[in-house]
Amino acid sequence: MRDDPRDPRFPSSPGFWRSPLRGPWFTSVLGLVLLVGITVLFVTGLVSYAAYNPDLSPVNDKTPDKGILGFYLFAWPTNPHWLYRLNQGVHVTLGITLIPVLLAKLWSVVPRLFALPPARSLAHALERVSLLLLVGGGLFEFVTGVLNIQLDYVFPGSFYPLHFYGAWVFFAAFVAHVLLKMPIALRNLRQLREEKNDLVSPRPADPTVSRRGALWFVGGGSLLLFATTVGQNFDGPLRRTALLAPHGGGEPGSGPNGFQINKTAAYAGIDAAETGADTWQLVVTGRTGTVRLSRSRLLELPLHSSALPIACVEGWSTSDQWWRGVRLRDLAGLVGYDDDPPDVFVESLQRHGAFRKAALRANQVADPRSLLALYVNGEELSPDHGYPARIIVPAAPGVLNTKWVARMTFGDL
């Protein structure tokens, strides 16, 4: 005799799921929170991708097969100088804060994942497919995002294409689900008396907490994650509260160079012999040829200062640091670009890893705050912060602020 799927001992039976918390009102509240939160996450994620200028140069583009998914890309601005810091701080902090809401939402609808038959109609089949893509895509995006924040790259392949393509799959399923469910969700919230549906158990267990109490519990979990994450966007004592900030990078130490880093000189394979005063030279190439500049020669050029933060894709950032060095547009002037600085291709001494080469747009080169920095906060750059010279550009992601610069090639890219 075959097992009856309606037997309450099986997950396919509504009677198997006995929590009295499940129901359309509870699910709808969580769904509306996610509607706003995930939309903000998706937009800030797209903006973050645009900040890398992936259509400027292949070295900046970690998703070369994106096709029409890059339709929205635009030239990244340099104003306001904290733009990327704000965008990425919101993206990462909000993503972590929403984890309890996402898990509660999945828990609230889990009976539908086991419902039989799998498809009662074409519309129902489309809903089930969108639900599977939504659940799978949501878990994938949040898991890869959290692992990236922790610098734990245990997943196969590069984080950038995995997270980018996963985001589009997830958001497409999310939009389809919203279109199918929004009228029902709004009706559930307006009704004083909750209607019955397949989420309401036919034989509920005795309640131990109210639905509003459960929402407060979920909200408390989100608040706790927010409190242990948001500090990574600030310097000083508040940063020590950021328990979920990136781990695995080098310790910055104290003093003028005592602000966060992800990549140490040792990790990047920087040999101290290559950066010494007698050996290191910056090679600058452009319209009129090539010039080679030692660090002492750079110090003879006009030096300028800029107050700019460092902000990384993992969500952490620093407050404004005082950088001093040679303007990028002045370096462009040395090789024939006096009034119209073009794009620049920057190469590092770094031996391995992504973004040891990066491209910057002409507007980034032309900005008077964009520097080849030699000092920070009144002191020479430390090896871990890019000695003998590094790029610093307003509003640019941290990986485009190349450290241990060896060569700069000016020209249209």
Side-chain angles (χ1 to χ4, degrees), residues 22 33 48 60 62 112 126 324 337 365:
R22 289 192 180 91
V33 173
S48 176
N60 289 16
K62 301 305 176 185
R112 287 180 176 161
L126 291 175
R324 188 162 177 80
Y337 300 98
V365 176

Side-chain angles (χ1 to χ4, degrees), residues 350-367:
Q350 181 178 334
R351 290 289 184 268
H352 54 80
F355 293 103
R356 53 194 177 88
K357 300 177 181 180
L360 298 172
R361 291 188 184 276
N363 68 307
Q364 294 173 309
V365 176
D367 193 296

Side-chain angles (χ1 to χ4, degrees), residues 48-202:
S48 176
Y49 178 66
Y52 284 75
N53 291 323
D55 59 343
L56 173 65
S57 170
V59 298
N60 289 16
D61 191 0
K62 301 305 176 185
T63 56
D65 301 321
K66 59 186 175 299
I68 62 172
L69 297 182
F71 70 92
Y72 73 95
L73 293 174
F74 56 93
W76 188 249
T78 56
N79 285 305
H81 72 278
W82 39 259
L83 178 60
Y84 189 77
R85 182 185 185 192
L86 173 65
N87 181 85
Q88 205 60 17
V90 169
H91 183 73
V92 171
T93 304
L94 178 61
I96 291 179
T97 301
L98 285 178
I99 288 176
V101 184
L102 176 70
L103 294 178
K105 169 71 171 177
L106 295 178
W107 173 86
S108 74
V109 298
V110 70
R112 287 180 176 161
L113 297 178
F114 296 90
L116 296 176
R120 296 189 294 269
S121 65
L122 177 60
H124 185 245
L126 291 175
E127 179 185 342
R128 293 297 295 273
V129 171
S130 73
L131 185 60
L132 289 175
L133 291 175
L134 184 67
V135 172
L139 291 175
F140 179 83
E141 285 299 286
F142 277 82
V143 168
T144 55
V146 170
L147 289 174
N148 179 64
I149 292 166
Q150 297 300 313
L151 307 179
D152 290 329
Y153 302 112
V154 297
F155 37 79
S158 170
F159 165 77
Y160 295 97
L162 289 173
H163 206 64
F164 178 79
Y165 293 122
W168 279 104
V169 172
F170 170 56
F171 197 72
F174 179 72
V175 170
H177 191 73
V178 167
L179 293 176
L180 288 168
K181 294 297 185 180
M182 178 59 75
I184 298 173
L186 294 176
R187 186 169 66 247
N188 290 336
L189 291 175
R190 286 196 301 264
Q191 288 181 342
L192 294 178
R193 183 177 180 182
E194 187 177 276
E195 65 178 356
K196 297 291 184 178
N197 71 359
D198 56 332
L199 295 177
V200 179
S201 176

Side-chain angles (χ1 to χ4, degrees), residues 100 209 212-222:
V209 65
R212 293 185 186 276
L215 289 177
W216 278 108
F217 179 76
V218 173
S222 290

Side-chain angles (χ1 to χ4, degrees), residues 163-367:
H163 206 64
F164 178 79
Y165 293 122
W168 279 104
V169 172
F170 170 56
F171 197 72
F174 179 72
V175 170
H177 191 73
V178 167
L179 293 176
L180 288 168
K181 294 297 185 180
M182 178 59 75
I184 298 173
L186 294 176
R187 186 169 66 247
N188 290 336
L189 291 175
R190 286 196 301 264
Q191 288 181 342
L192 294 178
R193 183 177 180 182
E194 187 177 276
E195 65 178 356
K196 297 291 184 178
N197 71 359
D198 56 332
L199 295 177
V200 179
S201 176
R203 54 187 199 100
D206 294 333
T208 57
V209 65
S210 69
R211 285 174 177 165
R212 293 185 186 276
L215 289 177
W216 278 108
F217 179 76
V218 173
S222 290
L223 184 61
L224 178 62
L225 290 180
F226 175 83
T228 53
T229 303
V230 70
Q232 68 178 342
N233 299 289
F234 305 95
D235 290 331
L238 192 58
R239 185 176 292 274
R240 291 196 289 270
T241 68
L243 303 180
L244 297 181
H247 298 287
E251 291 295 329
S254 58
N257 279 271
F259 54 95
Q260 184 158 345
I261 54 176
N262 269 5
K263 194 180 299 179
T264 65
Y267 172 85
I270 304 301
D271 187 343
E274 295 179 287
T275 61
D278 297 331
T279 55
W280 179 84
Q281 284 189 324
L282 173 68
V283 180
V284 183
T285 302
R287 180 187 289 161
T288 58
T290 298
V291 297
R292 296 176 180 272
L293 302 166
S294 65
R295 198 170 191 277
S296 60
R297 178 70 181 93
L298 285 169
L299 292 173
E300 294 174 0
L301 298 176
L303 301 183
H304 299 268
S305 296
S306 299
L308 299 172
I310 294 289
C312 280
V313 68
E314 294 88 3
W316 68 262
S317 61
T318 73
S319 58
D320 290 353
Q321 310 295 325
W322 280 100
W323 307 90
R324 188 162 177 80
V326 182
R327 288 175 174 171
L328 297 188
R329 67 185 190 183
D330 293 341
L331 291 172
L334 295 178
V335 288
Y337 300 98
D338 296 319
D339 301 318
D340 57 341
D343 309 327
V344 65
F345 183 67
V346 184
E347 299 175 72
S348 173
L349 291 172
Q350 181 178 334
R351 290 289 184 268
H352 54 80
F355 293 103
R356 53 194 177 88
K357 300 177 181 180
L360 298 172
R361 291 188 184 276
N363 68 307
Q364 294 173 309
V365 176
D367 193 296

